[in-house]
């Protein structure tokens, strides 16, 4: 069943022309429909534009961690090529890896909460 088949009720209500213009302006700025604005507001759900921003943020975070993983591989390649890495460099590298593991875990917890909110 497609989404149009599920919509079988119409609600009429009166508002001032100026208020409708304001709402339409909000919708235009957010690139959402007036129906979406009203329903999501009444049901206390995340707006479609906010959902798009969150998904863009998640994608950006994923790209950042991809770059970090690439840098880790480059350091490993250099260390393997030189067949030597100093104790201080190794310690510093290990500290950074531990920090990345913690940040990735925190990010995943945040993403779990975000996905729960998005599913509402």
């Amino acid at each position: 069943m497609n989404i149009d088949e599920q919509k079988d009720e119409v609600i009429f209500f009166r508002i001032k022309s100026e208020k409708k213009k304001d709402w339409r302006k909000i919708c235009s700025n957010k690139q959402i429909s007036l129906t979406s604005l009203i329903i999501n507001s009444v049901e206390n759900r995340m707006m479609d534009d906010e959902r798009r921003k969150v998904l863009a943020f998640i994608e950006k975070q994923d790209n950042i961690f991809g770059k970090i993983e690439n840098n880790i591989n480059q350091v490993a390649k250099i260390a393997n090529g030189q067949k030597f890495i100093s104790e201080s460099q190794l310690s510093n590298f290990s500290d950074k890896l531990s920090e990345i593991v913690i940040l990735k875990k925190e990010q995943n917890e945040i993403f779990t909460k975000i996905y729960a909110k998005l599913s509402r």
Side-chain angles (χ1 to χ4, degrees):
M1 182 178 342
N2 73 30
I3 198 156
D4 289 328
E5 292 173 343
Q6 295 173 358
K7 298 176 183 176
D8 61 359
E9 295 290 329
V10 177
I11 299 174
F12 294 100
F13 61 95
R14 296 173 200 249
I15 62 171
K16 292 187 177 194
S17 174
E18 199 58 39
K19 180 59 73 178
K20 185 176 178 182
K21 285 180 187 174
D22 291 344
W23 289 5
R24 289 229 182 255
K25 186 174 182 182
I26 290 169
C27 292
S28 177
N29 291 339
K30 292 179 174 276
Q31 297 179 344
I32 60 175
S33 69
L34 185 55
T35 301
S36 176
L37 175 72
I38 294 169
I39 291 172
N40 290 337
S41 296
V42 169
E43 293 181 356
N44 198 25
R45 292 173 37 191
M46 186 178 282
M47 297 289 172
D48 293 341
D49 69 313
E50 293 169 331
R51 187 174 285 115
R52 286 191 298 267
K53 288 177 186 174
V54 167
L55 292 174
F57 169 77
I58 290 170
E59 186 176 326
K60 181 179 176 185
Q61 288 299 108
D62 193 42
N63 290 339
I64 289 171
F65 274 100
K67 289 178 183 178
I68 291 169
E69 290 165 359
N70 188 36
N71 289 342
I72 290 169
N73 288 335
Q74 289 175 353
V75 169
K77 192 180 245 183
I78 291 169
N80 285 333
Q82 294 177 352
K83 301 292 183 207
F84 174 77
I85 187 166
S86 73
E87 189 67 37
S88 65
Q89 288 174 320
L90 183 60
S91 176
N92 186 29
F93 187 70
S94 294
D95 290 344
K96 297 297 181 193
L97 284 178
S98 297
E99 190 175 328
I100 288 170
V101 167
I102 292 167
L103 291 173
K104 189 72 171 178
K105 184 179 178 186
E106 288 176 10
Q107 174 188 282
N108 289 341
E109 289 171 4
I110 290 169
F111 286 173
T112 300
K113 291 176 185 174
I114 289 171
Y115 284 128
K117 284 195 176 273
L118 288 174
S119 67
R120 284 198 242 154

